[in-house]
Amino acid sequence: MMIKNTADCFSPSKIAGLTLKNRIIRAGCFEGMCQNGQVTDKLIEHHRQVAEGGVAMTTVAYCSVSEDGRAFEHELWMRKEILPDLIRLTASVHAEGASASIQLGHCGFFTNKKVIGKQPMGASAKWCTFCMSYSREMTVHDIEEKTDDFIRAAELAKEAGFNAVELHAGHGYLLSQFLSPWTNKRKDKFGGSLENRLRFPMMVIEGVKKAVGSDFPVLVKMNQLDGMSGGISITEALKIAKEFEKAGADALIPSAGFTSKVPFLMLRGNLPVKEMSENQPSLLNRIGLKLFGRFMVPEHPYEPLFLFEGAKRIKEAVNIPVIYIGGADSLAGIQKLMDTGFEFVQVGRATIQDPDFVKKLQSGELTESPCDHCNRCVAAMDAGGVYCVSNEVGFM
Ligand SMILES: Cc1cc2nc3c(=O)[nH]c(=O)nc-3n(C[C@H](O)[C@H](O)[C@H](O)COP(=O)(O)O)c2cc1C
C-alpha cells in the first residue's frame, strides 16, 4: 500500500546531515553578477535577499569547476582566491536563517573560446552554433583532470561555508554531454553503452561524495529528458537516477533540456528572442539570433508543474529524496508535490519575480506567483544581472 507523505511544505526536513527549515529551495538561476569571474557585492546581496525571503536554502548558480569551463566572462570559477568573498556570501545567507548551496559544473563543448583562451572540449568533437566553435574530444587525462577539479571545487565550497553542493549533470553541461548519445560518440570506455556513458559522471559523484563526507549533502541535477531525438529519454533517466543514488548522491533534481539545443524545455513560456539577441556580445550572434532565433530555439508553452510526470517516476525509482523543479509556483502546486512524496521543491522564477515569494506564501499574502513567464529575466542575466523585467517587483 502506498503511504502518502502529507508533509507541510513549511516544516523542516533533512538531506544527509543538513536540516532545512522548510521544503523550498531557490533553484540555481544564473545571476550574471560575477563580472570578470569575481564574487560581487551584488551577488552577495542577491542571495541575502533570497534568504531573507523565506527559502530554506538558496543556490548560487552556475559556478565552473575550472577556468576552462566557462561560456561567459561573467561566470564564476572555483578557486582559492575567491574564498574570502564566498565566505562573506555564505555568512550573509546564514545570518538570514537560511542555508546555502552552490551549483558546480563545466560547460564542455559550449564553453566560449574567447573567454577560456583555448579550444573548448567535450565528450566528442562537435560544432557549436551557439558559440561558433568546434570542440575537441576529451582525452582520458582530461577526464581524470576534470574529475579532480569537481572534487577540489566541492572541497573549496565546503571550506567557504556552503551547506551543500549541487553537481550539474543535466541541461547539456559537460556531465550531461557524456550521458547523452546526442553529444557522446566515443568509442572507448566512456562512450557507447549507458554503463560507459555513466562512467565519468559516476567518477565525479563518487569522488565528490568521498571528499566532502557523509554529512555534507551532494545534490545532483540531472535530465529526465534531453528533449531532442537521439538524446536521453525517461527510460534511460530512470537507470541514471538509480546509478547516481549508488554513486552517493544524497538527492536528485530531475530537470530537462539541453542548453545548446532546446534551452527552453527547462523553462517553458515566452521566448524573449529580441532581448536575448540584444545582449549577445558578438555582432554575428546578435544578427543570427534576431533573424533565426524563432527557428533555432524551439518554444514550449508553460504550464504549472510542467516536469511532474517524469519527476514522479524518478522519485518512485530511488530511495533518496527527489527535489522537484519546474513550475512549482503556487501553494497548491507545492502542496501537491508534498502529497506526492517529494521531499523538497526548487523554485526559480517565482523568487526572481519576488524574493519574498516564500514568506508571502507562508503568511497568506500570496497563493501563487504573479510571474508571467515572459522569460526576459533570462535575457537580463547577460546584461548586468538577473531581475524581473516584467514588473520590477524583485531585485534592483
Ligand atoms: C534567469 C534564469 C537563469 C537560470 N540559470 C540556471 C543555471 O545557471 N543552472 C541551472 O541548472 N538552471 C538554471 N535555470 C533553470 C532553473 O534552475 C529552473 O530549472 C527553471 O527556471 C524552472 O524552474 P521555475 O519554473 O521554478 O522557474 C535558470 C533559470 C532562469 C529563469
Side-chain angles (χ1 to χ4, degrees):
M1 194 183 79
M2 281 278 290
I3 300 174
K4 238 184 165 189
N5 175 352
T6 51
D8 171 358
C9 65
F10 301 112
S11 67
S13 192
K14 271 180 109 168
I15 307 179
L18 175 68
T19 300
L20 293 175
K21 68 178 178 184
N22 63 46
R23 310 303 182 91
I24 307 172
I25 300 168
R26 155 64 178 264
C29 290
F30 182 57
E31 306 86 357
M33 296 173 186
C34 294
Q35 282 63 31
N36 300 314
Q38 301 294 334
V39 176
T40 58
D41 288 346
K42 198 168 166 181
L43 181 79
I44 295 175
E45 177 56 15
H46 179 91
H47 284 285
R48 190 204 62 74
Q49 281 188 40
V50 176
E52 187 187 27
V55 295
M57 180 156 78
T58 186
T59 306
V60 173
Y62 186 74
C63 172
S64 179
V65 296
S66 52
E67 192 172 359
D68 63 5
R70 295 181 303 148
F72 294 101
E73 160 283 328
H74 56 302
E75 272 172 1
L76 206 58
W77 79 97
M78 188 53 93
R79 56 209 193 276
K80 259 202 163 352
E81 299 79 71
I82 60 167
L83 282 202
D85 288 329
L86 285 178
I87 289 169
R88 276 201 298 134
L89 188 154
T90 54
S92 70
V93 169
H94 295 156
E96 298 294 348
S99 296
S101 175
I102 185 163
Q103 185 179 69
L104 301 173
H106 190 289
C107 290
F109 91 100
F110 70 87
T111 49
N112 187 329
K113 200 174 165 182
K114 286 204 185 101
V115 172
I116 67 169
K118 57 182 178 184
Q119 186 183 14
M121 59 183 182
S124 300
K126 192 166 174 62
W127 169 254
C128 178
T129 311
F130 177 64
C131 44
M132 303 295 280
S133 62
Y134 200 73
S135 63
R136 66 171 177 86
E137 177 166 308
M138 283 170 73
T139 63
V140 173
H141 173 76
D142 294 325
I143 292 173
E144 286 165 356
E145 189 182 88
K146 290 306 124 194
T147 306
D148 290 345
D149 286 341
F150 267 97
I151 296 170
R152 187 195 44 88
E155 286 172 334
L156 287 176
K158 189 174 175 186
E159 207 179 317
F162 285 98
N163 306 94
V165 288
E166 180 178 306
L167 306 179
H168 208 337
H171 294 180
Y173 281 75
L174 182 62
L175 300 182
S176 168
Q177 288 163 29
F178 271 77
L179 291 168
S180 182
W182 191 73
T183 32
N184 187 341
K185 310 283 181 202
R186 299 175 74 97
K187 301 279 179 254
D188 64 358
K189 65 177 182 180
F190 294 98
S193 66
L194 179 59
E195 188 189 354
N196 283 356
R197 283 179 278 126
L198 269 159
R199 201 175 303 279
F200 174 37
M202 294 290 277
M203 281 162 57
V204 168
I205 299 170
E206 279 163 11
V208 167
K209 187 65 212 167
K210 195 161 162 231
V212 296
S214 59
D215 275 358
F216 189 84
V218 176
L219 321 178
V220 182
K221 192 165 185 174
M222 57 174 284
N223 272 1
Q224 49 170 279
L225 177 75
D226 283 346
M228 65 288 192
S229 86
I232 294 288
S233 65
I234 186 69
T235 316
E236 278 201 332
L238 293 171
K239 293 180 190 153
I240 292 169
K242 286 184 193 165
E243 292 304 309
F244 282 180
E245 177 177 16
K246 277 191 217 154
D250 294 301
L252 300 176
I253 308 153
S255 188
F258 228 78
T259 301
S260 57
K261 182 77 179 160
V262 274
F264 279 78
L265 193 63
M266 69 190 80
L267 289 157
R268 314 291 166 103
N270 179 55
L271 212 59
V273 173
K274 182 175 158 279
E275 291 81 0
M276 275 170 27
S277 70
E278 279 164 8
N279 297 337
Q280 289 301 310
S282 98
L283 181 66
L284 202 61
N285 280 17
R286 273 200 296 279
I287 297 170
L289 250 181
K290 205 160 200 158
L291 292 179
F292 305 114
R294 296 242 162 242
F295 309 103
M296 283 163 66
V297 186
E299 208 165 357
H300 309 274
Y302 180 85
E303 54 177 316
L305 305 185
F306 56 83
L307 292 175
F308 181 77
E309 290 307 327
K312 184 165 169 269
R313 290 182 65 185
I314 286 180
K315 185 189 69 59
E316 283 159 3
V318 297
N319 296 307
I320 47 176
V322 172
I323 304 174
Y324 179 83
I325 193 165
D329 60 2
S330 70
L331 191 57
I334 294 171
Q335 205 49 56
K336 175 179 168 178
L337 296 168
M338 297 292 107
D339 294 345
T340 312
F342 290 99
E343 292 269 359
F344 297 93
V345 302
Q346 281 200 353
V347 177
R349 284 162 294 183
T351 59
I352 293 174
Q353 194 277 337
D354 186 351
D356 289 337
F357 173 64
V358 176
K359 234 187 206 171
K360 289 181 181 172
L361 281 188
Q362 194 161 14
S363 70
E365 192 179 334
L366 271 184
T367 53
E368 63 183 305
S369 166
C371 170
D372 60 2
H373 318 106
C374 75
N375 290 329
R376 284 183 291 166
C377 54
V378 178
M381 76 190 181
D382 291 328
V386 75
Y387 72 106
C388 177
V389 181
S390 265
N391 56 20
E392 307 195 6
V393 167
F395 304 94
M396 294 169 73

